[in-house]
Amino acid sequence: MQPSISFITLTVENLERAVAFYRDGLGWPTDGIVGEKYENGAVAFFKLANNLTFALWPKQSLANETGLPHDNHAPTNVLLAHNVPSEAQVEQVLLEAKQAGATWVKPAKRTAWGGYAGYFMDPEQHLWEVVYNPHL
């Protein structure tokens, strides 16, 4: 796995309020909430320096997507994403993570929005998504 983070996702209880804080309060540029037509898809993206993307996603959506519980101490509070250029590399990185001691949360599969993603937790219970996004 290459040492990079593509997305930092904070999960939130109120997506509209969180978007307003970052967009209107801090002045971060965004297209607003997108993906509402997909199940668990409503999300807001903010482009940061160095090709890093900051995302806001409802806590319940991440819990639904991963099958993990939604509570104040759940690993669904933050999601780190590692984007790769192909579906095969998603599988390769997930295997590398497992061999390194990660726990698989959800095997890779096609997403509702046309990508391909799987999830694992590191030994400290931090949640990672490995994802191929053909739209980036």
Side-chain angles (χ1 to χ4, degrees):
M1 181 174 174
Q2 292 294 317
S4 71
I5 295 175
S6 309
F7 282 72
I8 296 174
T9 302
L10 297 183
T11 60
V12 297
E13 292 292 340
N14 185 318
L15 184 57
E16 292 81 11
R17 180 179 63 207
V19 169
F21 172 79
Y22 287 96
R23 180 191 58 215
D24 305 334
L26 299 183
W28 290 14
T30 181
D31 290 333
I33 298 171
V34 299
E36 293 174 291
K37 64 183 176 181
Y38 303 112
E39 181 180 9
N40 301 313
V43 63
F45 298 110
F46 301 81
K47 287 306 249 180
L48 305 179
N50 300 320
N51 291 327
L52 182 62
T53 300
F54 175 74
L56 298 170
W57 198 17
K59 286 183 181 185
Q60 190 61 56
S61 294
L62 182 55
N64 292 346
E65 178 68 19
T66 61
L68 293 170
H70 168 209
D71 64 35
N72 289 333
H73 302 297
T76 53
N77 288 329
V78 175
L79 172 66
L80 300 171
H82 179 70
N83 283 44
V84 295
S86 71
E87 292 180 11
Q89 284 186 306
V90 169
E91 298 288 351
Q92 178 183 347
V93 170
L94 287 172
L95 182 58
E96 288 176 22
K98 185 174 185 178
Q99 290 171 340
T103 301
W104 276 7
V105 172
K106 185 176 180 182
K109 69 174 196 168
R110 294 214 186 316
T111 65
W113 48 266
Y116 188 74
Y119 296 85
F120 70 86
M121 282 193 293
D122 72 10
E124 293 294 322
Q125 304 295 300
H126 296 108
L127 186 61
W128 282 81
E129 176 188 35
V130 181
V131 60
Y132 163 66
N133 184 340
H135 308 295
L136 292 179

